[in-house]
Amino acid sequence: MSAHEDNHAHEAHDDHGHHHKETFVTKYIFSQDHKMIAKQYLITGTIMGVIGVLMSMMFRMQIAWPEEPNVLFEALLGKWAPEGVMDADIYLALVTIHGTIMVFFVLTAGLSGTFSNLLIPLQIGARDMASGFLNMISYWLFFLSSVIMVISLFVEAGPAAAGWTIYPPLSALPMAQGGSGMGMTLWLVSMAIFIASSLMGSLNYIVTVINLRTKGMSMTRLPLTIWAFFITAVIGVISFPVLLSAALLLIMDRSFGTSFFLSDIFIQGEVLHYQGGSPVLFEHLFWFLGHPEVYIVILPAMGLVSEIMASNSRKPIFGYRAMIASILAIAFLSTIVWGHHMFISGMNPFLGSVFTFTTLLIAIPSAVKAFNWITTLWKGNLQMNPAMLFSIGFVSTFITGGLTGIILGDSALDINVHDTYFVVAHFHLVMGISALYGMFAGIYHWYPKMFGRMLNKNLGYIHFWITAVCAYGVFFPMHFIGMAGLPRRYYTNSNFPLFDDLANVNVIITIFALVGGVVQILYLYNFFSSIFFGKKTVQNPWKSTTLEWTTPVEHMHGNWPGDIPHVYRWAYDYSKPGHDVDFVPQNIPLKEGEEELQH
C-alpha cells in the first residue's frame, strides 16, 4: 500500500535527525521522546500514589481506633505520634497532603500526563509531540513539584494542614497553627510549579492534535481517547491559571502583608491589622479551578474506557458523535458549576438555585456517556481481560458516585450533608475510584505498547476483584455515616456520644481500606516485574483498529519506520460485515463499494 512504497527514500530522512548515539541520560532522564516521557509520568505518579495511599491508611486507622497506641504511627510519624498515639495536628496534615497528592500528582499526572503523552502522537499518526523540548520541561517541572511536596512532609512545624482546598485563614496566617508555616509555603510553591507544568503539557497536547494529524485523520475519525485528551487540555488551559492567581495572592497575604483573603482576624483576643479581604473570594477562585479539575481527572479516564470497551466488545462504540458532543458539553458546563461547593458559604439563595440548575444539567451528558457504554457492551463478544473489567468497574462507580452528586448539587438537600462523610463518599467514588479504574484499565491495555511485554493476567484479575470489593466496602458505608451527620476531617469522634453507634462502621470501613491498600502491592509487583520478565508482546495483542498498534513493538524515534500510515476510516470498524476478520485498522483503504461507518 502507498504508505509503505518508498521506504528507502524515507530511511535516509529518518536517520538524519537521530545520528547521535543516545546516552543513558538522553534516553531515560532528559528524554524528548513522548513514549519515554509517558513512562516517566506514570512511574513518578505511581510513587506519589504509594505515598498518598499510605497516608489514607494511616488516618483511617486513627478514625477506627482513636487514642490507641499504634506501632506504625510511632515508626512513620515520630514526634507527631508520641508513644504511638497520633497527634491531632498531623491528622489534618495527612488528610491535606493525601488529597493534594491523589488529585494532582496521581490522577492528573497518571492520566493526562501518561496517556496524553503516550497516545496522542501514536493515535493521530504523528512522529512526536509538537514540541519535544516543552514536553520534557513539563515533566521535569512536574517532578520538581512532586519533590517539593514530599519535602514539605519533613518540615519541623509539620506539612500544610488546611485541607486540600487550603481555605484561608488557616492557609493565609502563618501563625495560625504549625502546619500554616513553612509547610504551607512549600505547598504553594509546589502547586505553582505543578500548574506551570500542567499548562505547558496542555498547550503541547492542543497544538499536536490540531496540527499534526496524519493524512486522512479528520476530527471525526479520531479515537475518543484523543477527543478526551484534547478537551481535557483545553479545560486545563482555561482553569489552571485561576488557581495560580489564587496561590499567588495567598503567597502575597502570607508573606507581603496584603489582605486579599483576610479581614477582622482575632488571635487570642488580639486584633490583627488585616482589613477588607474575603475568604469567600478565595473559595471562588479555588473552585473555579477545583470543579473543572475533577473533569480534567475524569475525562481522560472516560476516553480510555470508551476505547477499551469498543476493542474488547468487538463492536463499534455506540453513539460516537454523541460521545464527542457529551465531552464538549461536560467541558462547557464544568466551568459554570463551581458554586455548588459553596452553598453554605452565605451565598445568595437565588445564585444557589442558578448553580443547582447548571449542576443538574451536567448529569445529562454524563448519562449519555453511561448509556452509550452500556449499549456498547450490549450483545458484544466480550473479552473479559483485566482492562475490560476495570472499564466496566469504572462505569459502575461513575454511576453510583454520580447519583449522590444529584443530592449534593441541590442547594436545599446539600445543607444537611455538606462537610460530612456523604461528600467524601460521593467524590471518592465518582472521581477518585472511577479515575483510578480508568487509569488501571489504561495501564493493563497499553502496557504492551509502553514496555513491549504483557502484564500477568491472573494477577490482574485478583487485583481487580479485591480492589472492586474493597472500594465499595470503603465508600458505600460512608454515605450512611454521612447521612447520620458524621463530619469530615475530625481526627476522633469519641467526644460526641451522638456518634458512638457509628464507631463500628468506621472500623469496617478501615478494614476494607487496609485490605484494598495492601492488594495494590500485588499490582506494583506485577507492574515492575513484568517490565523485565513479562511475556513478550505481539504487535497488536488486542486486535485493535487504532494507529498505535501499527507501530513496531520495539520503540523508535519517530514511531513508524518509513512513511506515516494514512487513514481511510474511523477508529471503530469492529465486526464490520464484508470483512474476513473482526477488526479493520484505520490505515486499510475502503474496499470497492464499502461505506464508511459514522455513528
Side-chain angles (χ1 to χ4, degrees), residues 134-287:
L134 200 63
N135 211 7
M136 176 182 82
I137 299 292
S138 162
Y139 168 72
W140 281 103
L141 283 179
F142 167 69
F143 181 81
L144 179 64
S145 73
S146 304
V147 168
I148 293 173
M149 191 59 76
V150 172
I151 285 173
S152 80
L153 300 176
F154 299 98
V155 171
E156 188 175 355
W164 79 279
T165 53
I166 57 159
Y167 284 179
L170 274 186
S171 58
L173 290 172
M175 70 292 265
Q177 56 168 352
S180 299
M182 188 60 171
M184 190 70 235
T185 304
L186 287 174
W187 191 100
L188 289 164
V189 170
S190 168
M191 282 313 297
I193 296 171
F194 175 85
I195 293 165
S197 149
S198 191
L199 286 173
M200 283 182 186
S202 294
L203 291 170
N204 215 353
Y205 306 149
I206 292 169
V207 173
T208 307
V209 172
I210 291 176
N211 286 345
L212 298 185
R213 303 192 305 280
T214 185
K215 189 171 180 212
M217 180 63 87
S218 62
M219 292 299 273
T220 48
R221 284 176 176 172
L222 285 173
L224 287 170
T225 38
I226 304 301
W227 270 104
F229 298 145
F230 175 55
I231 301 301
T232 300
V234 172
I235 303 176
V237 167
I238 292 168
S239 56
F240 265 120
V242 181
L243 184 65
L244 184 62
S245 66
L248 289 175
L249 294 181
L250 201 49
I251 289 170
M252 301 293 281
D253 270 14
R254 292 170 54 79
S255 306
F256 301 104
T258 57
S259 303
F260 292 108
F261 306 132
L262 293 168
S263 186
D264 303 325
I265 302 281
F266 294 82
I267 288 192
Q268 291 168 343
E270 185 190 338
V271 63
L272 301 185
H273 62 275
Y274 297 107
Q275 210 58 46
S278 165
V280 178
L281 169 63
F282 178 86
E283 289 187 34
H284 279 291
L285 292 174
F286 181 89
W287 286 115

Side-chain angles (χ1 to χ4, degrees), residues 6 61 93 170 178 205 226 313 355 367 406 409 416-417 419 454 510 517:
D6 51 349
M61 286 192 278
L170 274 186
Y205 306 149
I226 304 301
S313 300
F355 278 123
I406 296 171
N416 286 317
V417 285
D419 256 339
M454 305 290 279
T510 296

Side-chain angles (χ1 to χ4, degrees), residues 56-75:
S56 64
M57 289 164 80
M58 278 171 21
F59 60 68
R60 273 311 324 171
M61 286 192 278
Q62 163 64 19
I63 300 171
W65 302 288
E67 284 133 37
E68 284 184 28
N70 188 316
V71 188
L72 198 66
F73 293 169
E74 206 163 6

Side-chain angles (χ1 to χ4, degrees), residues 530-593:
S530 297
I531 294 176
F532 307 104
F533 309 115
K535 194 178 88 187
K536 281 200 160 56
T537 181
V538 293
Q539 186 176 9
N540 188 353
W542 315 117
K543 301 196 165 26
S544 296
T545 57
T546 40
L547 290 181
E548 77 271 29
W549 305 107
T550 63
T551 60
V553 176
E554 290 298 317
H555 283 187
M556 53 174 290
H557 267 303
N559 296 338
W560 286 269
D563 280 7
I564 295 175
H566 293 179
V567 168
Y568 301 97
R569 54 182 73 240
W570 74 324
Y572 298 100
D573 268 345
Y574 291 103
S575 306
K576 194 171 186 188
H579 287 271
D580 301 333
V581 285
D582 68 351
F583 71 107
V584 191
Q586 287 187 275
N587 60 338
I588 306 287
L590 294 169
K591 292 180 178 176
E592 288 270 330

Side-chain angles (χ1 to χ4, degrees), residues 223-369:
L224 287 170
T225 38
I226 304 301
W227 270 104
F229 298 145
F230 175 55
I231 301 301
T232 300
V234 172
I235 303 176
V237 167
I238 292 168
S239 56
F240 265 120
V242 181
L243 184 65
L244 184 62
S245 66
L248 289 175
L249 294 181
L250 201 49
I251 289 170
M252 301 293 281
D253 270 14
R254 292 170 54 79
S255 306
F256 301 104
T258 57
S259 303
F260 292 108
F261 306 132
L262 293 168
S263 186
D264 303 325
I265 302 281
F266 294 82
I267 288 192
Q268 291 168 343
E270 185 190 338
V271 63
L272 301 185
H273 62 275
Y274 297 107
Q275 210 58 46
S278 165
V280 178
L281 169 63
F282 178 86
E283 289 187 34
H284 279 291
L285 292 174
F286 181 89
W287 286 115
F288 188 80
L289 158 96
H291 201 80
E293 166 64 26
V294 305
Y295 291 99
I296 289 170
V297 163
I298 206 77
L299 277 177
M302 288 175 162
L304 297 173
V305 162
S306 302
E307 180 63 40
I308 293 166
M309 278 200 171
S311 184
N312 286 313
S313 300
R314 313 311 294 161
K315 53 182 281 204
I317 190 82
F318 187 88
Y320 173 76
R321 285 170 187 252
M323 286 298 228
I324 297 172
S326 61
I327 289 175
L328 293 168
I330 284 173
F332 169 67
L333 289 170
S334 77
T335 59
I336 54 169
V337 297
W338 78 92
H340 65 215
H341 297 268
M342 302 168 56
F343 284 144
I344 61 164
S345 65
M347 175 188 282
N348 182 322
F350 174 73
L351 188 57
S353 64
V354 172
F355 278 123
T356 298
F357 176 65
T358 56
T359 302
L360 297 183
L361 274 185
I362 213 162
I364 298 168
S366 305
V368 166
K369 297 191 90 60

Side-chain angles (χ1 to χ4, degrees), residues 27-87:
K27 183 169 183 187
Y28 291 105
I29 301 175
F30 296 113
S31 173
Q32 296 188 22
D33 182 353
H34 70 100
K35 300 180 290 297
M36 184 56 68
I37 292 172
K39 291 187 214 177
Q40 290 176 320
Y41 264 112
L42 181 57
I43 289 170
T44 313
T46 303
I47 294 165
M48 294 300 279
V50 170
I51 298 171
V53 169
L54 263 175
M55 289 182 166
S56 64
M57 289 164 80
M58 278 171 21
F59 60 68
R60 273 311 324 171
M61 286 192 278
Q62 163 64 19
I63 300 171
W65 302 288
E67 284 133 37
E68 284 184 28
N70 188 316
V71 188
L72 198 66
F73 293 169
E74 206 163 6
L76 290 175
L77 299 175
K79 70 169 184 176
W80 298 108
E83 295 173 11
V85 179
M86 188 185 288
D87 188 62

